Amino acid sequence: MRARLILEDGTECVGTAFGAVTETLGEVVFNTGLTGYQEVLSDPSYCGQIVTMTYPLIGNYGINRDDFEAVRPFIHGFVVREHCDTPSNWRSASTLDELLKAYGIPGIAGVDTRMLTRKIRHYGTMKGMITTSEAPLHELVASLQEASLMTDQVSRVSTKSVFSCPGSGHRVVLVDFGAKHGILRELTKRGCDVVVVPYNVTAEEIRRIQPDGILLSNGPGDPKDVPQAIQTIREILGQYPLFGICLGHQLFALASGADTEKLKFGHRGGNHPVKELATGRTYITSQNHGYAVTEASIKGTSLEITHVALNDGTIEGLRDASKQAFSVQYHPEAAPGPYDSGYLFDQFMAMIASAKEEKAHAKAR
């Protein structure tokens, strides 16, 4: 079936429909990963977006039960150059087409994804739609220009209730803004007693859980769209060791008095170089974000910049030593991507252990 990808600037890409045959609206972004399309599809941080894969062949190793990063995908559309509907992989349990159909997500194949990526890099992300409608282009563009993108993505992807993943180690409260399963895997691998809480949890509710540390997860959208989370973080800063990832990094910065801004086309892929300022070492990281903390806003706060992106110089890591808190803009849990930065979870564990030791000494005195 013929499908069309329409951008708000009037660009039209004609291709072949796969997945669900339905019309969708979203912010059109691109991901530069060579593999890992299943993890991209199931990353809650893509909620509300139409994702373009720059690698030309997608679907060739199918879909399996183990590589999901959430219970279900939340993306609004999938754009590829070539869609493979005959996967070859011993782990494959279904096809990409079957997955998209199951969750009502439309896909379009046969698109010049190189042209589309170059356009987004030049002009920035923009609204788009995937449709099988044969309506005139000017009508579709007009309706697209009048449409509004969603701003409540976090509430859609966050858990609705508290649940735990028991362990015998440190108790960590994971605030779920759209957490990837990779974060849970890294915490449970280290024996943590993890309590997952909704994005709108209050500071008092966190205190009642009596955590040893707090992890602020990744998630979709503009961090300023969840002001209640910023207030909660502000109230608990300094009371527990804190680690923020991606959206959690941005929320930590806002709670500390810094500011964020929308990037032109964001960082989305598994090969982004990041420099750790303390050591001068470069790490290859997995990233998925459209906003960043502004460097000028760090002045006047107690925050210290720890990591920067080598591609564009944006802030990739922050620390507030006085409050035992740090954060990174990228994904140390990877999936998909390199595991170079897994040491950050160990750093978080060491921070928790140190804080517990200090409390024990204080009680002994």
Side-chain angles (χ1 to χ4, degrees):
M1 181 180 292
R2 182 175 183 265
R4 303 158 75 188
L5 170 67
I6 312 292
L7 301 184
E8 62 179 307
D9 69 349
T11 299
E12 178 183 27
C13 300
V14 178
T16 304
F18 70 101
V21 180
T22 183
E23 188 168 288
T24 192
L25 168 74
E27 180 185 37
V28 182
V29 301
F30 65 87
N31 182 290
T32 59
L34 303 184
T35 60
Y37 57 80
Q38 181 175 338
E39 295 94 324
V40 169
L41 282 165
S42 57
D43 182 349
S45 293
Y46 283 112
C47 179
Q49 295 178 324
I50 295 173
V51 181
T52 302
M53 299 299 293
T54 62
Y55 190 73
L57 178 63
I58 302 296
N60 53 314
Y61 55 84
I63 300 295
N64 67 78
R65 72 167 198 174
D66 297 325
D67 288 341
F68 285 101
E69 283 301 308
V71 173
R72 57 152 298 159
F74 291 93
I75 71 165
H76 278 201
F78 207 42
V79 182
V80 303
R81 175 61 181 168
E82 182 180 348
H83 162 236
C84 176
D85 58 1
T86 54
S88 177
N89 187 294
W90 67 272
R91 293 200 306 157
S92 179
S94 65
T95 65
L96 173 60
D97 179 63
E98 289 169 341
L99 175 71
L100 296 185
K101 279 186 169 72
Y103 291 101
I105 301 166
I108 179 172
V111 171
D112 185 347
T113 51
R114 178 178 171 83
M115 175 278 296
L116 186 58
T117 299
R118 287 169 64 90
K119 179 179 283 288
I120 294 170
R121 283 183 59 88
H122 185 77
Y123 295 105
T125 57
M126 59 186 86
K127 287 183 291 186
M129 69 162 62
I130 296 175
T131 182
T132 56
S133 168
E134 294 297 335
L137 178 61
H138 71 273
E139 291 183 8
L140 294 174
V141 172
S143 67
L144 185 56
Q145 291 173 344
E146 293 174 1
S148 298
L149 296 174
M150 64 168 57
T151 59
D152 61 344
Q153 298 100 310
V154 169
S155 66
R156 292 170 182 252
V157 300
S158 175
T159 181
K160 300 299 185 285
S161 58
V162 178
F163 67 93
S164 64
C165 299
S168 57
H170 304 309
R171 174 170 293 179
V172 174
V173 164
L174 173 58
V175 185
D176 178 15
F177 300 108
K180 291 168 60 183
H181 286 172
I183 295 176
L184 268 176
R185 284 194 295 269
E186 292 297 329
L187 292 174
T188 55
K189 186 166 69 176
R190 289 164 174 81
C192 292
D193 179 22
V194 185
V195 181
V196 184
V197 299
Y199 77 100
N200 55 358
V201 65
T202 66
E204 183 53 36
E205 288 170 336
I206 289 176
R207 293 188 191 103
R208 284 202 292 268
I209 296 171
Q210 298 182 320
D212 298 317
I214 297 170
L215 198 154
L216 309 175
S217 86
N218 64 289
D222 185 342
K224 294 176 183 175
D225 287 339
V226 279
Q228 63 272 57
I230 298 170
Q231 181 58 36
T232 295
I233 297 165
R234 189 175 291 132
E235 290 179 26
I236 60 174
L237 266 177
Q239 297 178 21
Y240 312 95
L242 182 143
F243 179 24
I245 295 175
C246 202
L247 183 69
H249 157 84
Q250 297 162 14
L251 292 169
F252 164 55
L254 289 170
S256 300
D259 197 11
T260 56
E261 64 180 354
K262 195 176 194 312
L263 296 172
K264 186 176 181 180
F265 51 82
H267 301 169
R268 298 175 179 89
N271 61 347
H272 289 255
V274 167
K275 183 178 181 179
E276 185 177 50
L277 299 181
T279 63
R281 180 175 176 177
T282 296
Y283 294 90
I284 303 303
T285 68
S286 175
Q287 301 201 14
N288 175 17
H289 60 100
Y291 291 80
V293 179
T294 61
E295 186 172 355
S297 71
I298 298 298
K299 297 174 182 177
T301 72
S302 55
L303 297 172
E304 172 192 355
I305 300 173
T306 59
H307 299 74
V308 296
L310 292 181
N311 286 341
D312 61 9
T314 52
I315 294 173
E316 289 287 340
L318 293 168
R319 176 175 59 200
D320 187 337
S322 66
K323 294 184 172 63
Q324 292 187 305
F326 72 104
S327 64
V328 290
Q329 181 64 83
Y330 51 94
H331 288 266
E333 80 285 356
Y339 290 94
D340 298 31
S341 301
Y343 74 95
L344 290 170
F345 288 97
D346 297 324
Q347 185 175 309
F348 182 42
M349 296 298 103
M351 182 182 287
I352 291 175
S354 176
K356 290 171 75 172
E357 189 175 338
E358 286 178 15
K359 285 181 180 179
H361 287 163
K363 284 184 179 179
R365 290 197 298 267

